[in-house]
Amino acid sequence: MKRKPTIHLANLLRSCIDKKAHRSGKILHAHTLRSGLFSDTFLSNRLIELYSKCNKADSAYHVFAKMPQKDVYSWNAILCCFCKAGDLRGARKVFEEMPERNVVSWNNLISALVRSGYQDQALDVYDVMMSEGFMPSYVTYASVLSACGAVLDVEFGRKCHCLTIKIGLDTNAYVSNGLLNLYSKCGLIADAIQVFGSMDEPNEVSFTAMVGGLAQMDRVLEALELFKLMCKNGIQIDSVSLSSVLGVCARDGYGEYDQNDSFLSNVHGQQIHGLLIKLGFERDVHLGNSLLDMYAKHGDMRSAEIIFSNLPELSIVSWNIMMDGYGQKCQSEKTIEYLRRMEHCGFEPDEVTYIHILAACVKSGDVATARQMFDSLSCPTLSSWNTILSGYSQHENHNEAIKLFREMQFQHVKPDRTTLAIILSSCAGMSLLEAGKQIHAASQKIALYPDTFVVSGLIGMYTKCGKTEMAERIFYRVPKLDIVCWNTMIAGFSQNSLNKEAFMLFKQMLLKRMVPTQFSYATVLSCCAKLSSSFQGRQVHAHTEKDGYVTDVVVGSALINMYCKCGDVYEARQFFKTMRVRNTVTWNEMIHGYAQNGHGNEALVLYQCMIESGEKPDGITFTSVLTGCSHSGMVDAGLEIFNSMQRDHGIGPELDHYTCIIDSLGRAGRFHEAEVLMDKMPYKDDPIIWEVLLSSCRVHANVSLAKRAAEELFQLDPENSAPYVLLANIYSSLGRWDEARTVRELMTDRQIVKDPGYSWTEDKDQDTRFYVG
């Protein structure tokens, strides 16, 4: 007789659980007590489940505590209730008191820890579970693999993958999706693709994880193709998958948009926008923010404004995206305008808001306003400190960056890897070795050494201060080096004229199977140019072809420089002709190459082609073409170009330009014009000008001017041996031996020593040097 009402009550409670009917459930609870049925464990378990579903953890625990008899389901039900409520302390207490546990108990605790962000603890609990002999289920691995992905512990994840294969769970959809998520987050896209390919029926979660993984590795077109395949296969498109693919479209445009053509550069994003409207998601607030972010990342702020004004609900995220968008376009005034509007609408700025404003001011070059904004913050976060420090460092106000870093220490704000990298950059910029050493010590103290980000900064600082041995010591002590560390060390050797060592390190990098970047190739090509080693340069050229960097404009410019420095102007010009994209640097390298190799007429013709192409010349362009005119005796053409600098291009002549013109006039024997120009120019006290003039006097045997130039140099650059040698040679060539001897004796009396000359021969990667004492 008692069983029938129990079943009826259980069914009613199930209905209340499904509908989350808390009030009706309480009535049934009261009826259970009046009817004397509370001692029934099955009914009590249903009551715990009801209160748990209605987020009434206290009521659930009250039922649990009063139960006369508890089974494993009762313990799991109350454990699940605490886990769902996020009460990890209560969940731990219940778990430890359980007289009997099963795999459900372990799964509840592991998943609760993962949801609460305690991934490391979740993995520890999983280890204990395995050691006690419990067989994990697909639910276990869904949580454990998610934890591995969150902490980027790919080794632990691989062990779990092997176990899922061993116990036959690897084909489970939840496990497969967990593996996809793990490998994608850890950047192991090949493993993710292999898992995805082995899935019988990938669902929307699988496709979304794969799309996100491809986007993370900047394989944007593949990610978009996969989304198209998802649509073609009839996989359900939900708000999560749309948000993911909008993130792909945003990544496609980030930092690469053309401000005049942002509409055409965002075709994929506009297509997804159309699909979103077609599927009826235009009122989804989260998707609205994703759309906003996508247009802002492409620099299409007109479309972003339209989306923003039509959002059904504004949030702090929406305002922050708009401020970041205008900040990326260097429109700090619009960013601050949006801050004022946001505050007027009753929104309180958060940390992200201030970081966007600071970044906008910094990017716009308005560091003073950024500092005012920073100083107005009552308690700036570490990110805010890093942003303003970065602003000073980027604009080469290194002294202020270091002062602010010291202030940061007084405020007891603990620096992170970004902070140290910024300050190390400022120490390098000012060659502050002692300060850099202190940062090095601090990085060890706060356990940020050997973080590769910090290591790269340390290598850069030591090499900029001329301490390459110390930089090498750090470099070789780090067990796992990334490409940035390799590039920094190679660049450090190059900056310290250790070009052969730089090239050998590049070869070592290739042997370690590191993939060079455009910076790697540009640096090592510069080393080959300085070594005048066409053999090594051609080897590097072949590698750029193989790795697909030969079309990169930076690498292309470095290749032209290398061939020209090695005397192979023909090869440089042939490569120059094949370049699809050229910038001012590319044109400059080719013009300079012609000039340095005595092809002044070709340099002049190419300069004219550059002007006709619409490319704007800079100061280096004029130095190069004026050098060509000087070396080829085209004095009048050089003077015309020199005079056109300010008149036609708004570029004021600097020391190098005056030097070229003085050299050109001197070579032609037009000394009167040279002297008139020297009297007018602002660089008359620079020793280079006088040394150039003295060299010309030797060619034309202009003794009086040579003597004046030499006397100026004796005062301006007393340690330089060149004026003594040049003046003595002028006297010797004219047979004025007494005066030549006087100059040599003066040189001896003043202890001036002429630097020895040297030359070398190259045989493959070996070179032999000959010094003249």
Side-chain angles (χ1 to χ4, degrees), residues 449-519:
Y449 178 80
D451 178 277
T452 52
F453 204 50
V454 177
V455 165
S456 176
L458 285 168
I459 293 168
M461 183 274 297
Y462 280 118
T463 53
K464 286 279 179 68
C465 294
K467 300 293 181 181
T468 51
E469 289 181 6
M470 187 63 192
E472 268 192 284
R473 201 175 305 161
I474 293 169
F475 179 81
Y476 285 114
R477 280 183 181 175
V478 180
K480 286 187 178 180
L481 293 160
D482 63 7
I483 189 63
V484 178
C485 293
W486 284 93
N487 285 346
T488 308
M489 193 67 241
I490 292 168
F493 277 137
S494 179
Q495 288 159 8
N496 286 276
S497 301
L498 299 169
N499 297 296
K500 189 173 181 181
E501 288 81 353
F503 185 80
M504 296 308 293
L505 189 64
F506 175 76
K507 290 176 74 174
Q508 189 180 332
M509 184 179 91
L510 296 178
L511 290 172
K512 295 279 187 182
R513 299 191 180 279
M514 295 295 294
V515 180
T517 63
Q518 63 174 32
F519 184 81

Side-chain angles (χ1 to χ4, degrees), residues 38-42 44-45 48 60-76 78 94 97-100:
F38 183 73
S39 59
D40 188 293
T41 303
F42 181 71
S44 295
N45 288 344
I48 294 171
Y61 188 72
H62 180 75
V63 172
F64 176 78
K66 296 289 184 182
M67 285 177 70
Q69 291 183 327
K70 305 178 181 75
D71 59 13
V72 69
Y73 189 90
S74 315
W75 285 95
N76 280 335
I78 194 62
V94 169
E97 292 173 354
M98 290 179 79
E100 179 188 352

Side-chain angles (χ1 to χ4, degrees), residues 371 385 402-412:
R371 181 59 185 270
W385 282 98
I402 291 168
K403 279 171 62 180
L404 195 62
F405 177 69
R406 286 182 182 142
E407 177 64 26
M408 182 180 172
Q409 307 308 297
F410 293 134
Q411 298 288 337
H412 303 292

Side-chain angles (χ1 to χ4, degrees), residues 479-724:
K480 286 187 178 180
L481 293 160
D482 63 7
I483 189 63
V484 178
C485 293
W486 284 93
N487 285 346
T488 308
M489 193 67 241
I490 292 168
F493 277 137
S494 179
Q495 288 159 8
N496 286 276
S497 301
L498 299 169
N499 297 296
K500 189 173 181 181
E501 288 81 353
F503 185 80
M504 296 308 293
L505 189 64
F506 175 76
K507 290 176 74 174
Q508 189 180 332
M509 184 179 91
L510 296 178
L511 290 172
K512 295 279 187 182
R513 299 191 180 279
M514 295 295 294
V515 180
T517 63
Q518 63 174 32
F519 184 81
S520 317
Y521 283 121
T523 305
V524 79
L525 283 167
S526 173
C527 294
C528 294
K530 291 171 187 174
L531 291 167
S532 298
S533 176
S534 61
F535 177 80
Q536 293 171 337
R538 289 178 190 279
Q539 285 182 321
V540 179
H541 188 173
H543 275 287
T544 64
E545 294 272 8
K546 181 183 174 185
D547 290 348
Y549 279 105
V550 75
T551 56
D552 182 271
V553 68
V554 176
V555 176
S557 301
L559 276 166
I560 291 168
N561 175 56
M562 182 274 296
Y563 280 119
C564 289
K565 288 282 175 65
C566 293
D568 196 345
V569 186
Y570 174 78
E571 188 68 39
R573 185 57 194 265
Q574 290 302 108
F575 179 76
F576 179 83
K577 288 177 181 177
T578 65
M579 290 183 72
R580 289 177 292 177
V581 180
R582 300 170 187 151
N583 60 14
T584 304
V585 176
T586 316
W587 287 95
N588 288 352
E589 293 290 5
M590 195 63 243
I591 294 168
H592 184 71
Y594 274 136
Q596 287 296 315
N597 285 276
H599 301 284
N601 192 56
E602 287 85 346
L604 184 58
V605 169
L606 193 62
Y607 163 75
Q608 291 165 346
C609 290
M610 177 184 180
I611 301 299
E612 290 168 7
S613 73
E615 191 73 51
K616 292 186 73 174
D618 59 11
I620 297 171
T621 315
F622 288 108
T623 302
S624 300
V625 72
L626 289 172
T627 300
C629 291
S630 173
H631 288 185
S632 299
M634 296 185 293
V635 186
D636 293 328
L639 284 168
E640 174 55 33
I641 291 169
F642 180 80
N643 293 328
S644 72
M645 287 178 63
Q646 184 70 61
R647 184 187 67 217
D648 300 338
H649 305 285
I651 298 173
E654 296 182 3
L655 174 61
D656 287 344
H657 308 120
Y658 281 108
T659 303
C660 290
I661 288 297
I662 297 297
D663 182 48
S664 183
L665 291 168
R667 283 170 185 258
R670 293 160 66 167
F671 292 110
H672 176 69
E673 293 172 73
E675 287 185 89
V676 169
L677 182 61
M678 287 178 71
D679 289 336
K680 292 180 180 177
M681 70 181 188
Y683 303 101
K684 58 173 68 76
D685 291 332
D686 194 284
I688 293 174
I689 293 285
W690 290 104
E691 192 169 325
V692 165
L693 189 63
L694 181 56
S695 297
S696 299
C697 290
R698 182 191 174 191
V699 175
H700 294 279
N702 189 334
V703 178
S704 59
L705 186 56
K707 192 174 180 181
R708 179 192 167 193
E711 286 171 354
E712 290 282 352
L713 283 167
F714 294 159
Q715 292 180 11
L716 295 171
D717 193 4
E719 299 297 320
N720 187 3
S721 63
Y724 295 93

Side-chain angles (χ1 to χ4, degrees), residues 28-255:
L28 291 173
H29 186 179
H31 180 72
T32 304
L33 292 170
R34 283 198 305 270
S35 305
L37 297 175
F38 183 73
S39 59
D40 188 293
T41 303
F42 181 71
L43 279 178
S44 295
N45 288 344
R46 280 286 167 90
L47 284 168
I48 294 171
E49 195 177 346
L50 165 74
Y51 287 124
S52 176
K53 197 73 178 282
C54 296
N55 297 318
K56 303 292 180 182
D58 291 341
S59 300
Y61 188 72
H62 180 75
V63 172
F64 176 78
K66 296 289 184 182
M67 285 177 70
Q69 291 183 327
K70 305 178 181 75
D71 59 13
V72 69
Y73 189 90
S74 315
W75 285 95
N76 280 335
I78 194 62
L79 176 63
C80 180
C81 179
F82 279 122
C83 290
K84 186 182 175 187
D87 184 357
L88 292 179
R89 180 177 294 180
R92 280 277 193 182
K93 185 173 182 295
V94 169
F95 185 80
E96 288 166 4
E97 292 173 354
M98 290 179 79
E100 179 188 352
R101 298 177 188 137
N102 59 15
V103 71
V104 175
S105 320
W106 291 95
N107 287 348
N108 274 328
L109 185 58
I110 291 169
S111 62
L113 288 166
V114 172
R115 283 197 304 272
S116 299
Y118 297 101
Q119 286 85 4
D120 288 318
Q121 290 184 34
L123 296 178
D124 291 340
V125 171
Y126 167 77
D127 275 337
V128 177
M129 172 187 171
M130 296 299 288
S131 67
E132 292 190 11
F134 286 90
M135 178 64 74
S137 67
Y138 72 88
V139 178
T140 317
Y141 282 117
S143 298
V144 169
L145 289 168
S146 174
C148 291
V151 297
L152 304 179
D153 192 343
V154 72
E155 293 306 317
F156 200 108
R158 285 194 190 281
K159 289 177 184 176
C160 292
H161 190 175
C162 293
L163 280 170
T164 62
I165 295 170
K166 187 176 180 180
I167 60 180
L169 286 175
D170 59 309
T171 56
N172 179 275
Y174 292 96
V175 174
S176 295
N177 287 337
L179 287 167
L180 272 179
N181 178 62
L182 163 71
Y183 290 132
S184 296
K185 283 188 175 177
C186 293
L188 300 172
I189 200 67
D191 296 81
I193 291 170
Q194 189 173 351
V195 171
F196 185 80
S198 66
M199 294 177 73
D200 294 329
E201 292 184 8
N203 57 21
E204 65 272 16
V205 178
S206 320
F207 273 95
T208 302
M210 198 67 233
V211 166
L214 287 166
Q216 186 179 317
M217 299 303 293
D218 287 329
R219 294 166 68 164
V220 173
L221 292 177
E222 290 172 76
L224 292 170
E225 285 299 321
L226 191 63
F227 181 76
K228 287 180 185 177
L229 180 64
M230 181 180 178
C231 298
K232 187 179 178 182
N233 289 356
I235 305 294
Q236 181 184 354
I237 308 294
D238 58 12
S239 60
V240 177
S241 53
L242 282 170
S243 179
S244 179
V245 78
L246 282 170
V248 174
C249 296
R251 184 178 284 267
D252 185 29
Y254 189 69

Side-chain angles (χ1 to χ4, degrees), residues 730-744:
I730 290 171
Y731 286 133
S732 299
S733 65
L734 297 172
R736 295 164 67 167
W737 305 110
D738 291 339
E739 288 163 295
R741 190 181 305 110
T742 302
V743 174
R744 296 282 185 186

Side-chain angles (χ1 to χ4, degrees), residues 192-496:
I193 291 170
Q194 189 173 351
V195 171
F196 185 80
S198 66
M199 294 177 73
D200 294 329
E201 292 184 8
N203 57 21
E204 65 272 16
V205 178
S206 320
F207 273 95
T208 302
M210 198 67 233
V211 166
L214 287 166
Q216 186 179 317
M217 299 303 293
D218 287 329
R219 294 166 68 164
V220 173
L221 292 177
E222 290 172 76
L224 292 170
E225 285 299 321
L226 191 63
F227 181 76
K228 287 180 185 177
L229 180 64
M230 181 180 178
C231 298
K232 187 179 178 182
N233 289 356
I235 305 294
Q236 181 184 354
I237 308 294
D238 58 12
S239 60
V240 177
S241 53
L242 282 170
S243 179
S244 179
V245 78
L246 282 170
V248 174
C249 296
R251 184 178 284 267
D252 185 29
Y254 189 69
E256 298 176 6
Y257 59 80
D258 179 351
Q259 294 191 20
N260 299 317
D261 196 20
S262 55
F263 182 84
L264 292 176
S265 68
N266 191 22
V267 174
H268 294 119
Q270 290 157 359
Q271 289 174 337
I272 302 300
H273 189 176
L275 178 64
L276 182 149
I277 294 170
K278 183 181 177 181
L279 295 174
F281 285 109
E282 66 267 31
R283 304 296 294 173
D284 187 293
V285 175
H286 177 69
L287 279 178
N289 284 333
S290 295
L291 268 175
L292 198 62
D293 183 59
M294 182 267 293
Y295 281 117
K297 287 289 197 310
H298 275 271
D300 186 359
M301 296 309 294
R302 179 181 293 180
S303 297
E305 290 273 10
I306 295 169
I307 299 293
F308 183 81
S309 60
N310 288 307
L311 281 174
E313 180 185 334
L314 289 174
S315 67
I316 189 71
V317 174
S318 319
W319 291 99
N320 285 345
I321 290 169
M322 291 302 290
M323 282 184 263
D324 184 43
Y326 278 116
Q328 290 298 326
K329 296 193 78 171
C330 303
Q331 295 184 17
S332 57
E333 69 286 347
K334 287 289 288 184
T335 306
I336 294 170
E337 177 193 321
Y338 262 83
L339 172 66
R340 303 288 176 248
R341 284 176 58 187
M342 182 182 85
E343 290 174 328
H344 181 72
C345 292
F347 288 90
E348 282 291 325
D350 62 5
E351 179 187 351
V352 177
T353 312
Y354 287 117
I355 290 170
H356 285 331
I357 295 166
L358 287 171
C361 293
V362 166
K363 193 160 187 178
S364 303
D366 190 0
V367 184
T369 302
R371 181 59 185 270
Q372 288 175 3
M373 187 69 65
F374 177 80
D375 288 340
S376 70
L377 300 177
S378 57
C379 187
T381 62
L382 178 58
S383 296
S384 301
W385 282 98
N386 286 345
T387 305
I388 190 65
L389 286 170
S390 176
Y392 281 124
S393 185
Q394 285 173 26
H395 291 84
E396 298 188 359
N397 192 344
H398 301 304
N399 193 40
E400 194 63 34
I402 291 168
K403 279 171 62 180
L404 195 62
F405 177 69
R406 286 182 182 142
E407 177 64 26
M408 182 180 172
Q409 307 308 297
F410 293 134
Q411 298 288 337
H412 303 292
V413 180
K414 186 178 178 182
D416 65 358
R417 61 202 293 261
T418 304
T419 321
L420 295 186
I422 292 166
I423 295 306
L424 283 167
S425 174
S426 287
C427 290
M430 296 181 70
S431 298
L432 295 175
L433 180 61
E434 290 306 313
K437 284 181 177 179
Q438 290 172 10
I439 304 299
H440 189 176
S443 72
Q444 292 177 310
K445 186 177 178 181
I446 60 178
L448 281 174
Y449 178 80
D451 178 277
T452 52
F453 204 50
V454 177
V455 165
S456 176
L458 285 168
I459 293 168
M461 183 274 297
Y462 280 118
T463 53
K464 286 279 179 68
C465 294
K467 300 293 181 181
T468 51
E469 289 181 6
M470 187 63 192
E472 268 192 284
R473 201 175 305 161
I474 293 169
F475 179 81
Y476 285 114
R477 280 183 181 175
V478 180
K480 286 187 178 180
L481 293 160
D482 63 7
I483 189 63
V484 178
C485 293
W486 284 93
N487 285 346
T488 308
M489 193 67 241
I490 292 168
F493 277 137
S494 179
Q495 288 159 8
N496 286 276

